[in-house]
Amino acid sequence: MSCAANFRKQISKGLTCSPRHGLLAKRCYSTPQDAQEKVLQNEDDWHTLQETRARQKHIMDRFSRLGSTQSRDNTWQPHHGLHKPPPPKDLTLSSLVAAGAHFGHSSSLMNPNFLPYSYGTRAGITIIDLDSTLPLLRRAVDVTRAIAARDGTIVFVGTRPDLRRVVNKAAERMGSNAYSVGERWLPGTLTNKVQLFGPEVAQTQRVVPDLVILLNPLANMHVIRECAISHVPTIGIIDSNVDPRIVLYPIPANDESTRTAELVAGVLSIAGKEGLERFREQQAAAQAALQRSQRKRS
Protein backbone atom coordinates (compact mmCIF):
# COMPACT_ATOMS: atom_id res chain seq x y z
CA MET A 1 0.00 0.00 0.00
CA SER A 2 1.37 3.44 -0.94
CA CYS A 3 1.98 6.19 1.56
CA ALA A 4 -0.82 8.36 0.14
CA ALA A 5 -3.31 5.49 0.36
CA ASN A 6 -2.22 4.76 3.94
CA PHE A 7 -2.63 8.43 4.83
CA ARG A 8 -6.17 8.49 3.34
CA LYS A 9 -7.04 5.39 5.35
CA GLN A 10 -5.94 7.08 8.54
CA ILE A 11 -7.92 10.22 7.64
CA SER A 12 -11.06 8.10 7.22
CA LYS A 13 -10.59 6.84 10.79
CA GLY A 14 -10.31 10.41 12.13
CA LEU A 15 -6.55 10.09 12.68
CA THR A 16 -3.62 11.89 11.13
CA CYS A 17 -0.04 10.85 10.59
CA SER A 18 2.87 13.15 11.17
CA PRO A 19 4.95 12.95 7.97
CA ARG A 20 8.11 13.45 10.00
CA HIS A 21 7.62 10.99 12.83
CA GLY A 22 4.93 8.68 11.58
CA LEU A 23 2.96 8.91 14.84
CA LEU A 24 -0.80 8.52 14.98
CA ALA A 25 -2.64 11.22 16.86
CA LYS A 26 -5.98 12.91 16.83
CA ARG A 27 -5.15 16.45 15.72
CA CYS A 28 -7.73 19.19 15.96
CA TYR A 29 -7.30 22.91 15.50
CA SER A 30 -9.38 26.03 15.11
CA THR A 31 -9.15 28.11 11.96
CA PRO A 32 -9.25 31.90 12.20
CA GLN A 33 -12.23 32.10 9.83
CA ASP A 34 -14.83 30.13 11.72
CA ALA A 35 -13.02 29.41 15.01
CA GLN A 36 -14.50 25.91 15.00
CA GLU A 37 -12.71 22.70 15.87
CA LYS A 38 -11.90 20.68 12.74
CA VAL A 39 -10.14 17.43 12.03
CA LEU A 40 -7.07 17.66 9.81
CA GLN A 41 -7.99 16.50 6.33
CA ASN A 42 -4.67 16.30 4.50
CA GLU A 43 -0.96 17.02 4.73
CA ASP A 44 -1.45 20.70 3.91
CA ASP A 45 -3.64 21.10 7.00
CA TRP A 46 -0.92 19.48 9.05
CA HIS A 47 1.73 21.87 7.73
CA THR A 48 -0.61 24.84 8.29
CA LEU A 49 -1.08 23.81 11.91
CA GLN A 50 2.69 23.54 12.44
CA GLU A 51 3.26 26.93 10.84
CA THR A 52 0.59 28.51 13.05
CA ARG A 53 2.17 27.06 16.17
CA ALA A 54 5.64 28.17 15.11
CA ARG A 55 4.35 31.69 14.41
CA GLN A 56 2.68 31.91 17.81
CA LYS A 57 5.83 30.66 19.54
CA HIS A 58 7.94 33.23 17.70
CA ILE A 59 5.59 36.05 18.77
CA MET A 60 5.62 34.87 22.39
CA ASP A 61 9.41 34.56 22.47
CA ARG A 62 9.89 38.01 20.96
CA PHE A 63 7.38 40.01 23.01
CA SER A 64 7.39 38.15 26.36
CA ARG A 65 10.44 40.08 27.57
CA LEU A 66 8.53 43.32 27.04
CA GLY A 67 5.73 42.36 29.42
CA SER A 68 5.54 42.14 33.20
CA THR A 69 8.07 40.04 35.10
CA GLN A 70 5.69 39.37 38.00
CA SER A 71 4.80 35.78 38.73
CA ARG A 72 3.48 33.72 41.60
CA ASP A 73 6.98 33.27 42.97
CA ASN A 74 8.02 36.94 43.16
CA THR A 75 4.70 38.56 44.16
CA TRP A 76 2.86 38.52 47.45
CA GLN A 77 0.34 35.76 48.02
CA PRO A 78 -2.19 35.47 50.88
CA HIS A 79 -0.44 32.39 52.28
CA HIS A 80 2.99 34.05 52.44
CA GLY A 81 2.28 35.66 55.81
CA LEU A 82 1.93 32.24 57.40
CA HIS A 83 4.34 30.09 55.39
CA LYS A 84 6.84 32.66 54.05
CA PRO A 85 7.17 35.51 56.54
CA PRO A 86 9.87 38.10 55.85
CA PRO A 87 13.18 37.69 57.69
CA PRO A 88 13.83 40.20 60.49
CA LYS A 89 16.36 42.14 58.41
CA ASP A 90 13.73 42.78 55.70
CA LEU A 91 11.07 44.05 58.10
CA THR A 92 9.75 47.44 56.96
CA LEU A 93 6.96 49.89 57.69
CA SER A 94 5.33 48.89 54.41
CA SER A 95 4.92 45.30 55.57
CA LEU A 96 3.31 46.49 58.81
CA VAL A 97 0.93 48.79 56.95
CA ALA A 98 0.03 46.01 54.50
CA ALA A 99 -0.78 43.73 57.45
CA GLY A 100 -3.10 46.35 58.95
CA ALA A 101 -1.01 46.75 62.09
CA HIS A 102 -1.80 50.48 62.35
CA PHE A 103 -5.52 50.08 63.06
CA GLY A 104 -6.45 50.43 66.72
CA HIS A 105 -9.74 50.37 68.59
CA SER A 106 -12.23 53.16 69.02
CA SER A 107 -10.70 56.32 70.41
CA SER A 108 -13.12 56.17 73.34
CA LEU A 109 -11.57 52.83 74.39
CA MET A 110 -7.94 53.95 74.24
CA ASN A 111 -5.94 53.20 77.36
CA PRO A 112 -4.26 56.34 78.73
CA ASN A 113 -0.93 54.54 78.99
CA PHE A 114 -1.06 53.77 75.26
CA LEU A 115 -0.92 57.47 74.35
CA PRO A 116 2.86 57.49 73.51
CA TYR A 117 2.23 54.86 70.81
CA SER A 118 -0.77 56.63 69.25
CA TYR A 119 -0.36 58.60 66.03
CA GLY A 120 -3.83 60.13 66.17
CA THR A 121 -7.45 59.35 65.40
CA ARG A 122 -9.40 59.10 62.19
CA ALA A 123 -13.13 58.44 61.88
CA GLY A 124 -13.20 57.66 65.58
CA ILE A 125 -10.48 54.98 65.27
CA THR A 126 -7.10 55.22 66.97
CA ILE A 127 -4.20 55.03 64.51
CA ILE A 128 -1.13 53.33 65.94
CA ASP A 129 2.22 54.99 65.32
CA LEU A 130 4.20 52.39 63.37
CA ASP A 131 7.36 54.46 63.79
CA SER A 132 7.22 53.26 67.39
CA THR A 133 6.09 49.74 66.51
CA LEU A 134 8.99 48.92 64.21
CA PRO A 135 11.87 49.53 66.69
CA LEU A 136 9.96 47.75 69.45
CA LEU A 137 9.40 44.78 67.16
CA ARG A 138 13.09 44.73 66.30
CA ARG A 139 13.89 44.80 70.01
CA ALA A 140 11.62 41.78 70.50
CA VAL A 141 13.44 40.08 67.62
CA ASP A 142 16.78 40.64 69.37
CA VAL A 143 15.40 39.27 72.63
CA THR A 144 14.02 36.15 70.96
CA ARG A 145 17.25 35.54 69.06
CA ALA A 146 19.37 36.00 72.20
CA ILE A 147 17.24 33.58 74.24
CA ALA A 148 17.28 30.95 71.49
CA ALA A 149 21.06 31.40 71.11
CA ARG A 150 21.39 30.21 74.73
CA ASP A 151 19.27 27.10 74.10
CA GLY A 152 16.20 28.67 75.71
CA THR A 153 12.63 27.44 75.31
CA ILE A 154 9.92 29.71 73.90
CA VAL A 155 6.13 29.36 74.10
CA PHE A 156 3.80 30.98 71.55
CA VAL A 157 0.32 31.69 72.93
CA GLY A 158 -2.67 32.50 70.70
CA THR A 159 -6.01 31.22 71.92
CA ARG A 160 -8.31 32.57 69.20
CA PRO A 161 -9.41 30.09 66.52
CA ASP A 162 -7.66 32.08 63.77
CA LEU A 163 -4.41 32.16 65.76
CA ARG A 164 -4.07 28.42 66.35
CA ARG A 165 -2.37 27.62 63.07
CA VAL A 166 -0.21 30.74 63.47
CA VAL A 167 1.26 29.64 66.81
CA ASN A 168 1.55 26.04 65.61
CA LYS A 169 3.50 27.10 62.53
CA ALA A 170 5.76 29.41 64.56
CA ALA A 171 6.58 26.66 67.06
CA GLU A 172 7.13 24.16 64.25
CA ARG A 173 9.60 26.54 62.60
CA MET A 174 11.79 26.54 65.73
CA GLY A 175 11.69 22.80 66.34
CA SER A 176 12.00 21.24 69.78
CA ASN A 177 12.88 24.53 71.53
CA ALA A 178 9.42 26.04 71.00
CA TYR A 179 5.90 25.13 72.01
CA SER A 180 2.48 26.49 71.18
CA VAL A 181 -0.77 26.99 73.08
CA GLY A 182 -3.71 27.42 70.73
CA GLU A 183 -6.65 26.14 72.73
CA ARG A 184 -6.52 27.14 76.39
CA TRP A 185 -3.77 27.82 78.86
CA LEU A 186 -4.16 25.40 81.74
CA PRO A 187 -4.15 27.44 84.99
CA GLY A 188 -1.24 26.58 87.22
CA THR A 189 1.07 25.48 84.40
CA LEU A 190 3.86 27.63 85.84
CA THR A 191 2.78 28.34 89.40
CA ASN A 192 1.55 24.84 90.27
CA LYS A 193 3.88 22.73 88.14
CA VAL A 194 4.71 20.20 90.88
CA GLN A 195 1.12 18.99 91.24
CA LEU A 196 0.38 19.43 87.53
CA PHE A 197 3.38 17.55 86.10
CA GLY A 198 4.55 15.58 89.12
CA PRO A 199 7.58 16.18 91.35
CA GLU A 200 9.92 14.08 89.24
CA VAL A 201 9.10 15.84 85.97
CA ALA A 202 9.16 19.28 87.61
CA GLN A 203 12.65 18.66 89.00
CA THR A 204 14.30 16.84 86.10
CA GLN A 205 12.83 18.61 83.06
CA ARG A 206 12.51 22.22 81.95
CA VAL A 207 8.87 23.00 82.66
CA VAL A 208 9.16 26.78 82.97
CA PRO A 209 9.93 28.42 79.59
CA ASP A 210 12.49 31.16 79.07
CA LEU A 211 10.16 33.38 77.03
CA VAL A 212 6.42 33.60 76.38
CA ILE A 213 5.07 35.36 73.26
CA LEU A 214 1.38 36.33 73.40
CA LEU A 215 -0.55 37.22 70.26
CA ASN A 216 -3.73 38.16 72.18
CA PRO A 217 -2.57 39.13 75.67
CA LEU A 218 -5.82 40.73 76.85
CA ALA A 219 -7.58 37.36 76.70
CA ASN A 220 -4.69 35.64 78.51
CA MET A 221 -4.16 37.80 81.58
CA HIS A 222 -3.80 34.69 83.75
CA VAL A 223 -0.83 33.67 81.59
CA ILE A 224 0.80 37.05 82.17
CA ARG A 225 0.23 36.76 85.94
CA GLU A 226 1.86 33.33 86.06
CA CYS A 227 4.81 34.57 83.99
CA ALA A 228 5.25 37.53 86.36
CA ILE A 229 5.22 35.24 89.40
CA SER A 230 7.69 32.83 87.76
CA HIS A 231 9.92 35.69 86.47
CA VAL A 232 9.42 34.71 82.82
CA PRO A 233 9.81 37.57 80.29
CA THR A 234 6.86 38.19 78.00
CA ILE A 235 6.39 39.67 74.53
CA GLY A 236 2.91 40.70 73.46
CA ILE A 237 0.97 42.48 70.72
CA ILE A 238 -0.57 45.48 72.48
CA ASP A 239 -3.60 47.22 70.97
CA SER A 240 -4.83 50.70 71.82
CA ASN A 241 -7.25 49.44 74.50
CA VAL A 242 -4.53 47.58 76.44
CA ASP A 243 -2.04 48.86 78.98
CA PRO A 244 1.44 48.34 77.46
CA ARG A 245 2.88 47.71 80.93
CA ILE A 246 1.26 44.28 81.29
CA VAL A 247 4.07 42.67 79.26
CA LEU A 248 7.80 43.22 79.48
CA TYR A 249 8.36 43.82 75.75
CA PRO A 250 5.22 45.37 74.19
CA ILE A 251 4.66 45.56 70.43
CA PRO A 252 2.01 48.22 69.65
CA ALA A 253 -0.09 46.79 66.82
CA ASN A 254 -3.54 45.58 65.88
CA ASP A 255 -4.15 42.44 67.95
CA GLU A 256 -7.35 41.55 66.06
CA SER A 257 -5.68 41.27 62.66
CA THR A 258 -4.69 37.74 61.66
CA ARG A 259 -2.16 39.07 59.14
CA THR A 260 -0.48 41.16 61.84
CA ALA A 261 -0.26 38.11 64.10
CA GLU A 262 1.20 36.04 61.24
CA LEU A 263 3.79 38.74 60.56
CA VAL A 264 4.85 39.16 64.19
CA ALA A 265 4.89 35.45 65.00
CA GLY A 266 6.70 34.64 61.75
CA VAL A 267 9.41 37.25 62.27
CA LEU A 268 9.97 36.22 65.89
CA SER A 269 10.08 32.52 65.02
CA ILE A 270 12.64 33.16 62.28
CA ALA A 271 14.71 35.13 64.79
CA GLY A 272 14.49 32.18 67.18
CA LYS A 273 15.57 29.85 64.41
CA GLU A 274 18.58 32.05 63.70
CA GLY A 275 19.46 31.98 67.39
CA LEU A 276 19.28 28.18 67.46
CA GLU A 277 21.57 27.97 64.44
CA ARG A 278 24.03 30.26 66.21
CA PHE A 279 23.85 28.04 69.32
CA ARG A 280 24.58 24.91 67.27
CA GLU A 281 27.52 26.61 65.58
CA GLN A 282 28.95 27.57 68.97
CA GLN A 283 28.45 24.04 70.24
CA ALA A 284 30.21 22.59 67.20
CA ALA A 285 33.09 25.05 67.54
CA ALA A 286 33.48 24.25 71.25
CA GLN A 287 33.44 20.53 70.56
CA ALA A 288 36.05 20.90 67.82
CA ALA A 289 38.28 22.94 70.16
CA LEU A 290 37.92 20.28 72.85
CA GLN A 291 38.92 17.55 70.43
CA ARG A 292 41.97 19.53 69.32
CA SER A 293 43.06 20.04 72.92
CA GLN A 294 42.65 16.35 73.63
CA ARG A 295 44.82 15.47 70.61
CA LYS A 296 47.57 17.83 71.81
CA ARG A 297 47.58 16.22 75.25
CA SER A 298 47.76 12.73 73.80
Side-chain angles (χ1 to χ4, degrees):
M1 182 182 296
S2 63
C3 181
N6 189 19
F7 186 81
R8 285 193 296 270
K9 183 178 180 181
Q10 295 163 5
I11 290 298
S12 63
K13 293 180 180 180
L15 301 174
T16 61
C17 176
S18 172
R20 186 173 182 180
H21 304 289
L23 301 175
L24 296 178
K26 199 167 187 177
R27 308 285 184 177
C28 298
Y29 77 106
S30 299
T31 59
Q33 291 80 7
D34 52 7
Q36 294 179 356
E37 212 174 54
K38 290 185 178 181
V39 179
L40 302 180
Q41 300 295 330
N42 49 43
E43 295 185 19
D44 294 336
D45 292 346
W46 169 263
H47 293 302
T48 303
L49 175 62
Q50 296 301 319
E51 292 175 358
T52 303
R53 289 179 176 175
R55 191 182 305 110
Q56 293 176 351
K57 185 177 183 302
H58 174 71
I59 293 174
M60 293 294 294
D61 293 342
R62 180 163 185 174
F63 292 101
S64 59
R65 65 176 181 271
L66 303 177
S68 174
T69 58
Q70 293 183 351
S71 64
R72 184 179 177 86
D73 297 329
N74 59 12
T75 55
W76 183 86
Q77 299 294 328
H79 63 275
H80 285 177
L82 179 63
H83 300 284
K84 295 181 180 180
K89 62 179 182 179
D90 296 338
L91 192 61
T92 60
L93 288 174
S94 299
S95 59
L96 291 172
V97 172
H102 57 291
F103 293 112
H105 282 270
S106 174
S107 57
S108 60
L109 300 177
M110 187 177 68
N111 192 291
N113 296 313
F114 190 84
L115 190 60
Y117 308 113
S118 173
Y119 183 80
T121 60
R122 182 174 179 83
I125 302 298
T126 301
I127 304 300
I128 300 174
D129 186 10
L130 296 183
D131 286 330
S132 302
T133 302
L134 187 59
L136 292 177
L137 180 54
R138 288 174 176 169
R139 182 183 66 171
V141 165
D142 295 336
V143 171
T144 306
R145 186 187 293 112
I147 290 177
R150 290 166 175 79
D151 196 25
T153 57
I154 300 174
V155 177
F156 292 87
V157 181
T159 53
R160 285 205 318 261
D162 59 317
L163 299 179
R164 291 170 187 166
R165 62 173 186 172
V166 178
V167 294
N168 292 336
K169 188 67 177 181
E172 178 185 349
R173 192 174 288 115
M174 288 189 58
S176 60
N177 283 63
Y179 303 90
S180 63
V181 178
E183 295 288 341
R184 174 176 173 267
W185 180 276
L186 190 62
T189 301
L190 303 181
T191 56
N192 197 20
K193 57 182 180 296
V194 176
Q195 294 187 6
L196 194 63
F197 298 101
E200 183 179 357
V201 175
Q203 294 177 2
T204 58
Q205 298 184 14
R206 292 192 299 179
V207 178
V208 179
D210 298 294
L211 177 66
V212 175
I213 299 174
L214 300 105
L215 302 184
N216 55 337
L218 197 60
N220 294 282
M221 290 300 298
H222 54 288
V223 181
I224 298 175
R225 294 189 190 99
E226 292 190 21
C227 291
I229 294 172
S230 302
H231 303 285
V232 177
T234 53
I235 297 174
I237 300 177
I238 303 300
D239 211 329
S240 61
N241 62 331
V242 185
D243 189 349
R245 299 175 298 177
I246 63 175
V247 295
L248 188 58
Y249 300 101
I251 302 175
N254 184 6
D255 64 351
E256 294 184 350
S257 172
T258 306
R259 286 183 58 184
T260 302
E262 291 176 352
L263 177 63
V264 172
V267 169
L268 295 179
S269 62
I270 291 178
K273 186 178 179 181
E274 294 174 354
L276 290 175
E277 292 175 354
R278 185 182 303 175
F279 171 75
R280 296 189 184 100
E281 292 176 358
Q282 293 175 355
Q283 289 291 102
Q287 187 176 3
L290 180 61
Q291 291 178 356
R292 287 194 299 267
S293 64
Q294 288 177 354
R295 292 196 194 99
K296 291 180 181 179
R297 293 176 182 176
S298 61

